[in-house]
Amino acid sequence: MADLNNPKVQKILNSKAFAHLATIGAKGEPNSSVMWFLWDEEYIKFTHTTERQKYQNIKRDPRVAITITDPDDPYTYAEFRGVVDKVEEDPTGAFYNTLAEKYGSSSRYRGDPRVVLCVKVDRILGYV
């Protein structure tokens, strides 16, 4: 098992790679989505609208799995397992705009109700 201080894990967490965020559906089925993310040295953070299924899944069961591939070596990846430890309101979409800038997107906040999902990592698996 890798740890957060592993240089390969840090490279992945500080990259512009896309994360695959998996949640647990109401009937136990997996739900996975490609997401922008930001690592702040404590949490892996995502922005999400409160109107979609993934947010409902997290409200019901905060356990998640996140897979991120090294953008320079697709055979190197890390899977982060943990829980959504806190949900922060984002009424102005500021965090959405921060992520859009990180990923070089011209997209900006469109007025939908948004939150910041803060994932506390409990375990790291993968090929790092």
Side-chain angles (χ1 to χ4, degrees):
M1 185 170 80
D3 67 55
L4 287 171
N5 296 317
N6 177 310
K8 290 181 180 181
V9 170
Q10 282 296 308
K11 178 184 178 201
I12 288 169
L13 285 170
N14 289 294
S15 74
K16 291 183 181 180
F18 293 99
H20 298 259
L21 174 63
T23 61
I24 301 166
K27 297 177 184 173
E29 73 280 9
N31 177 296
S32 181
S33 300
V34 177
M35 307 274 292
W36 291 338
F37 76 95
L38 181 72
W39 168 243
D40 74 356
E41 303 296 325
E42 183 178 4
Y43 294 103
I44 301 175
K45 292 183 168 185
F46 300 92
T47 182
H48 208 283
T49 177
T50 59
E51 298 172 338
R52 292 198 181 141
Q53 186 61 50
K54 185 167 297 307
Y55 180 68
Q56 300 307 315
N57 290 350
I58 288 168
K59 281 184 12 180
R60 187 185 56 264
D61 187 337
R63 295 176 297 163
V64 298
I66 303 158
T67 304
I68 308 169
T69 304
D70 182 328
D72 300 320
D73 179 3
Y75 295 101
T76 300
Y77 69 93
E79 178 186 338
F80 304 91
R81 294 185 186 173
V83 296
V84 175
D85 189 49
K86 62 181 179 173
V87 176
E88 301 171 344
E89 297 294 320
D90 189 17
T92 65
F95 189 65
Y96 180 93
N97 292 339
T98 296
L99 288 176
E101 289 175 22
K102 173 187 175 184
Y103 283 89
S105 173
S106 61
S107 178
R108 292 296 180 265
Y109 175 62
R110 298 178 300 269
D112 50 343
R114 297 200 80 83
V115 292
V116 179
L117 306 172
C118 303
V119 176
K120 190 71 162 175
V121 175
D122 295 326
R123 187 169 185 205
I124 304 170
L125 306 165
Y127 189 72
V128 290

